[in-house]
């Protein structure tokens, strides 16, 4: 009898070319599928909660796969983790409804972007946060972030890449906080465009530098003018940090 299993996992994305399997390059999906295939004894195809890019991390991530294996869910994480590298960890396995889909069943997502705002780098934050030497004003950044909350057309805040039916998304919150030299940018939405979070963070940094007045951002977004918004922040500071499902899979 076939079961649909949802996996809750975390990973450090530095060594991978993103989540999605590719012909050239090691990805999180392909690495996980190989480990699962060894455990369940048949080919496996995973569906992931989102296409995180090369170098992007996940504090929380969900993937599902179908299997005819009878291995209990409570034993699956331990078994799979013995076949995974140290930078990918399966935390939990849950049997879910046949129609459950890790990306299609996801109601909303939160990403966290970390900036290490210091002139001197910290060895522990290499590829884990954006080293930004110029002093940033988190209050100006928050003013800019506030302009992006709500339902808007985010065409001005995405990179050329994956085509979607619409570039309209709803952002539920975009909160920027400082703790010493670490600035955390937490953004939650019903979906994200290609590089959207990194462009949002880069735009807030632009505002702090005085290159953009926060209250001008709605006009830039109305025009869909990517060149008038800020740069795309580097991938190493980005983490998928929270996911919402109607089913308890986390």
């Amino acid at each position: 009898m076939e079961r649909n299993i949802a996996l809750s996992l975390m990973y450090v994305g530095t060594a991978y070319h993103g989540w999605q399997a590719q012909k050239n390059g090691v990805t999180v999906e392909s690495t996980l599928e190989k480990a699962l295939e060894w455990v369940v004894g048949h080919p496996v195809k995973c569906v992931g909660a989102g296409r995180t890019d090369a170098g992007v991390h996940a504090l929380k991530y969900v993937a599902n796969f179908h299997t005819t294996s009878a291995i209990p869910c409570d034993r699956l994480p331990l078994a799979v983790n013995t076949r995974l590298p140290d930078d990918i960890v399966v935390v939990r396995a849950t049997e879910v409804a046949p129609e459950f889909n890790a990306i299609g069943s996801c109601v909303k997502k939160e990403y966290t972007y970390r900036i290490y705002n210091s002139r001197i780098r910290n060895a522990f934050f290499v590829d884990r946060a954006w080293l930004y030497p110029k002093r940033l004003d988190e209050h100006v950044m928050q003013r800019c972030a506030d302009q992006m909350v709500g339902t808007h057309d985010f065409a001005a805040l995405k990179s050329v890449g994956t085509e979607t039916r619409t570039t309209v998304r709803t952002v539920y919150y975009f909160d920027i906080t400082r703790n010493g030299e670490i600035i955390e940018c937490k953004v939650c939405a019903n979906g994200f465009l290609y590089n959207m979070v990194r462009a949002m963070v880069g735009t807030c940094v632009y505002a702090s530098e005085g290159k953009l007045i926060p209250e001008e951002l709605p006009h830039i977004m109305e025009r869909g003018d990517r060149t008038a918004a800020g740069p795309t922040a580097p991938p190493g500071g980005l983490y998928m940090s929270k996911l919402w499902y109607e089913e308890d899979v986390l």
Side-chain angles (χ1 to χ4, degrees), residues 221-249:
M221 292 169 69
E222 282 172 21
R223 298 198 308 270
D225 188 354
R226 180 69 190 92
T227 59
T232 301
L238 185 60
Y239 301 74
M240 182 176 279
S241 50
K242 200 167 181 182
L243 296 159
W244 284 262
Y245 291 92
E246 290 183 3
E247 293 194 48
D248 178 22
V249 296

Side-chain angles (χ1 to χ4, degrees), residues 111-230:
Y111 280 93
T112 299
Y113 194 96
R114 291 174 180 159
I115 301 170
Y116 189 67
N117 193 200
S118 172
R119 292 171 62 192
I120 305 296
R121 72 178 182 272
N122 183 316
F124 291 97
F125 289 120
V126 174
D127 296 323
R128 305 287 196 283
W130 181 11
L131 176 66
Y132 203 87
K134 191 181 290 187
R135 179 73 180 181
L136 292 169
D137 185 335
E138 66 273 20
H139 303 294
V140 174
M141 292 176 69
Q142 184 64 66
R143 270 174 53 207
C144 186
D146 289 343
Q147 310 301 316
M148 297 179 243
V149 175
T151 302
H152 306 284
D153 188 331
F154 284 92
L157 292 161
K158 77 174 186 76
S159 297
V160 175
T162 309
E163 294 301 316
T164 54
R165 282 186 294 114
T166 175
T167 49
V168 173
R169 297 289 185 273
T170 299
V171 171
Y172 301 109
Y173 58 80
F174 188 3
D175 298 331
I176 296 176
T177 55
R178 177 187 283 275
N179 183 7
E181 292 164 316
I182 287 284
I183 296 174
E184 274 202 343
C185 313
K186 285 188 180 291
V187 56
C188 173
N190 62 351
F192 292 93
L193 303 169
Y194 185 53
N195 284 349
M196 178 173 151
V197 177
R198 290 161 59 192
M200 291 168 79
V201 171
T203 300
C204 290
V205 168
Y206 238 37
S208 177
E209 288 196 340
K211 295 177 179 176
L212 181 151
I213 297 169
E215 289 71 27
E216 288 179 351
L217 188 57
H219 304 295
I220 293 170
M221 292 169 69
E222 282 172 21
R223 298 198 308 270
D225 188 354
R226 180 69 190 92
T227 59

Side-chain angles (χ1 to χ4, degrees), residues 44-102:
V44 164
K45 178 63 182 170
C46 288
V47 176
R51 292 179 59 182
T52 57
D53 296 330
V56 173
H57 319 293
L59 299 168
K60 292 279 180 70
Y61 194 89
V62 171
N64 74 288
F65 71 100
H66 292 265
T67 182
T68 52
S69 169
I71 184 170
C73 284
D74 60 345
R75 287 177 50 199
L76 194 55
L78 289 170
V80 178
N81 286 337
T82 63
R83 308 299 297 183
L84 285 170
D86 291 344
D87 50 11
I88 303 174
V89 179
V90 173
V91 178
R92 183 183 178 194
T94 310
E95 188 166 348
V96 288
E99 64 274 12
F100 177 89
N101 177 290

